Amino acid sequence: MHNWTAWDASLSWSFGLIAITITIHIVGIGSIANAVARFRHKLVDSRRPYLTGTPTAIALLVIVALGLAVLHGVECFVWALAYVHLNAFSSAADATLYSVDSMTTRGSSGLTAVREWRMMGAAEAGDGMLLFGTSTAFLFLVMTRLWKTDLEAR
């Protein structure tokens, strides 16, 4: 029988949480992409060229960025729930602040998880880099497609 050490448990929780947050992110990005496509088609079909210009593209980009920020917040909250469940912090507020701090790789909250769960903060930072990189790539894709459509409409 395998003897679970704190290290094993921390890594297992970390990989599980990474899988969950990446899944949330992919589903969220897919939903945002579908919403942007539907909205753009409605604007183009409305035959009002002033609604397909740069100001509308900028507004859509802001909405997309806010949607991505909400996704990141949800993902931090998932990690924070795990920290609370594992009693890694004395309060939900501390777990949430630590999670946001780790996910953004900021690392200056001054909070530290209890010893057996400390590896999760580093794993969450790696997860955050993947998620923020994916968000950046998606935002860039949306931006280039909106501007391309805007240029073609001129």
Side-chain angles (χ1 to χ4, degrees):
M1 200 69 171
H2 182 67
N3 182 15
W4 284 91
T5 64
W7 180 269
D8 293 334
S10 184
L11 284 177
S12 295
W13 272 92
S14 296
F15 286 133
L17 289 165
I18 289 168
I20 290 167
T21 56
I22 288 173
T23 301
I24 290 168
H25 214 70
I26 291 168
V27 170
I29 282 176
S31 299
I32 292 169
N34 287 334
V36 168
R38 283 193 312 272
F39 185 72
R40 289 291 288 176
H41 285 293
K42 284 182 182 180
L43 288 179
V44 170
D45 290 345
S46 74
R47 304 248 192 263
R48 294 184 212 145
Y50 60 89
L51 289 176
T52 58
T54 302
T56 302
I58 291 169
L60 276 173
L61 286 170
V62 169
I63 291 167
V64 168
L66 289 173
L68 292 169
V70 168
L71 282 177
H72 287 284
V74 168
E75 293 148 4
C76 287
F77 191 67
V78 167
W79 279 86
L81 286 174
Y83 292 132
V84 168
H85 173 76
L86 297 168
N87 295 315
F89 291 93
S90 59
S91 74
D94 283 351
T96 302
L97 176 57
Y98 180 81
S99 179
V100 171
D101 204 40
S102 294
M103 181 75 70
T104 60
T105 68
R106 184 174 160 263
S108 62
S109 69
L111 296 170
T112 305
V114 296
R115 185 170 183 80
E116 62 266 23
W117 303 113
R118 285 186 189 158
M119 176 57 74
M120 288 178 65
E124 186 177 3
D127 186 29
M129 286 188 285
L130 287 171
L131 296 171
F132 279 102
T134 303
S135 291
T136 302
F138 177 67
L139 194 57
F140 182 76
L141 175 69
V142 171
M143 189 182 327
T144 55
R145 286 192 176 170
L146 289 175
W147 285 339
K148 180 181 176 193
T149 304
D150 186 30
L151 290 173
E152 288 171 352
R154 291 180 189 189

